Amino acid sequence: VNALSAAELETRLRDIGARRYHRLHPFHKLLHGGACSKGQVQAWALNRYYYQATIPIKDASLIARCEDSSIRREWRSRLVDHDGAREGEGGIARWLKLTDGLGLDRAYVTSLQGLLPATRFAVDAYVNFVREKTLLEAIASSLTELFSPEIISERVEGMLKSYDFVTAETLAYFSQRPPQAERDSRFALDFVKQHARTAETQRSVLSALEFKCDVLWAMLDALYHSYVAPKHVPPGAFAPGDQEV
Amino acid sequence: VNALSAAELETRLRDIGARRYHRLHPFHKLLHGGACSKGQVQAWALNRYYYQATIPIKDASLIARCEDSSIRREWRSRLVDHDGAREGEGGIARWLKLTDGLGLDRAYVTSLQGLLPATRFAVDAYVNFVREKTLLEAIASSLTELFSPEIISERVEGMLKSYDFVTAETLAYFSQRPPQAERDSRFALDFVKQHARTAETQRSVLSALEFKCDVLWAMLDALYHSYVAPKHVPPGAFAPGDQEV
């Protein structure tokens, strides 16, 4: 098998996004289309909190295996984005403004008590992937950010329009993310195009991006099953109506 | 908080099984009640194959962290049960008789290509749990076997009665398991009762068993969502009708 050119590789990566990114998931359509109940939006924000809170652990795991100072330095900005310069700043803190705004008790959210086990398994799989695969695959798995500015704009617009329990202030997380995601995904895409030159490594980066799409997709599958239909909440997980402030 | 007696601890462990074991899951009820289509039974067997195939890796991971020769020796029988004494024997080989009998291509099954990502995440979470938690918690997480003889007898009886595509021969896996599970779970239960003597370690073993119930439950949640209702098969996963011999 012949290797692809860098431009062909980029086309194939973008094609994975067009077919498998969670923007296509029915739960996303309900959420941004204004068809979710408050309890469903709460369940989404509560579960997605674990993803947000785990991202710096994923990024530090990636930095920890990087022998090149310039890549570590570049990747470090992600830690700043999520953990902030000080208490109360950064992406995780902004996500908690969303769960606050939805009326969820903050101690309950951060305790992870109500998390769907499937969310935990999917997010932990992402961290383990970054720890165990090659650095190239770890970097490629971040490339879902190529597709995130679009989903974020749909989400913000749709949610502000449709839900009276959502305000621009509680959606502060999303207003910050697109420029960060653009900068980060440009770096990761350049890295992947430069370092994946053989058919084998190109296959591995394509698989890494599929894997990451699977992680995000599985999180929405679990939300759909538990909170949309047939609404089978697993034992111990968040039940809408519970845990409001 | 005071520690429980060994008998009280056993009662609490059995109570977790009574409330959270996957025997209570709607998918199990459909399966043993004869309400599944052949495609749904195929999807179950295909996904469950990954669990079966991973169990010896889980058990070897546990043995690998054991400093006590007598425990390693005891636990080793599980490797024999699943991997067999020679090619074509053991639990994994018997599971493949089931997927064969259901008309699934064996190379497709073992390639894991059609696996639901959620199955992979849940099963891998189990292996990582056994690698990362204490030995006591790792052993406690095997205690779902206390409850398996009952689910197996329901499954065999219900499936033989209801599905003309299932025969006693293809269900050979299940006829072997109950005595093995009884022997293994007796050892694990004795170990846990003997070594979990403080309130803290007792909490950890109760959590370990809840975690393991969550793993099995999440696997059935994903099957239900993908193949029962609303039948949203994730991109790339097995679609009934595909991959038959």
Side-chain angles (χ1 to χ4, degrees), chain B residues 97-136:
Chain B
K97 293 217 170 94
L98 172 61
T99 57
D100 287 350
L102 291 168
L104 290 164
D105 180 64
R106 192 178 271 224
Y108 175 73
V109 173
T110 58
S111 76
L112 307 176
Q113 252 188 284
L115 204 62
L116 292 171
T119 303
R120 188 187 291 273
F121 301 154
V123 171
D124 291 353
Y126 184 26
V127 176
N128 286 318
F129 184 94
V130 166
R131 285 180 182 159
E132 292 165 12
K133 297 283 180 171
T134 64
L135 181 64
L136 179 62

Side-chain angles (χ1 to χ4, degrees), chain A residues 202-240:
Chain A
Q202 290 176 342
R203 256 196 315 276
S204 80
V205 303
L206 293 165
S207 295
L209 182 55
E210 285 183 348
F211 161 81
K212 173 64 178 304
C213 287
D214 288 346
V215 166
L216 297 171
W217 194 276
M219 288 170 66
L220 295 189
D221 271 359
L223 282 166
Y224 196 101
H225 177 75
S226 304
Y227 301 109
V228 178
K231 297 195 187 184
H232 289 157
V233 180
F238 170 72

Side-chain angles (χ1 to χ4, degrees), chain B residues 198-219:
Chain B
T198 66
E200 190 187 358
T201 53
Q202 291 177 342
R203 256 197 314 277
S204 79
V205 303
L206 293 165
S207 295
L209 182 55
E210 284 183 348
F211 161 81
K212 174 64 177 304
C213 287
D214 288 347
V215 167
L216 297 171
W217 193 276
M219 288 170 66

Side-chain angles (χ1 to χ4, degrees), chain A residues 20 23 33 58 73 95 111 116 151-152 206 225 234 238:
Chain A
R20 300 178 73 145
R23 186 182 166 213
K58 182 275 291 184
R73 202 181 307 118
W95 197 270
S111 76
L116 293 170
I151 200 176
I152 286 180
L206 293 165
H225 177 75
F238 170 72

Side-chain angles (χ1 to χ4, degrees), chain B residues 2-23:
Chain B
N2 290 330
L4 306 168
S5 70
E8 286 167 337
L9 179 61
E10 179 172 345
T11 302
R12 293 279 295 278
L13 289 164
R14 291 190 183 277
D15 180 56
I16 290 172
R19 289 181 294 106
R20 297 178 74 146
Y21 190 53
H22 64 166
R23 185 183 167 214

Side-chain angles (χ1 to χ4, degrees), chain A residues 9-71:
Chain A
L9 180 61
E10 178 171 345
T11 302
R12 294 278 296 277
L13 289 164
R14 290 189 183 277
D15 179 56
I16 289 172
R19 290 180 293 106
R20 300 178 73 145
Y21 190 53
H22 63 166
R23 186 182 166 213
L24 302 168
H25 195 284
F27 191 89
H28 171 68
K29 291 178 186 169
L30 294 176
L31 182 68
H32 84 81
C36 282
S37 67
K38 186 172 180 184
Q40 289 165 341
V41 180
Q42 287 175 324
W44 168 73
L46 174 79
N47 278 276
R48 176 88 187 185
Y49 168 77
Y50 184 59
Y51 179 81
Q52 300 300 143
T54 305
I55 288 300
I57 292 167
K58 182 275 291 184
D59 286 322
S61 301
L62 192 148
I63 295 172
R65 28 184 324 204
C66 228
E67 284 166 19
D68 182 332
S69 178
S70 70
I71 302 173

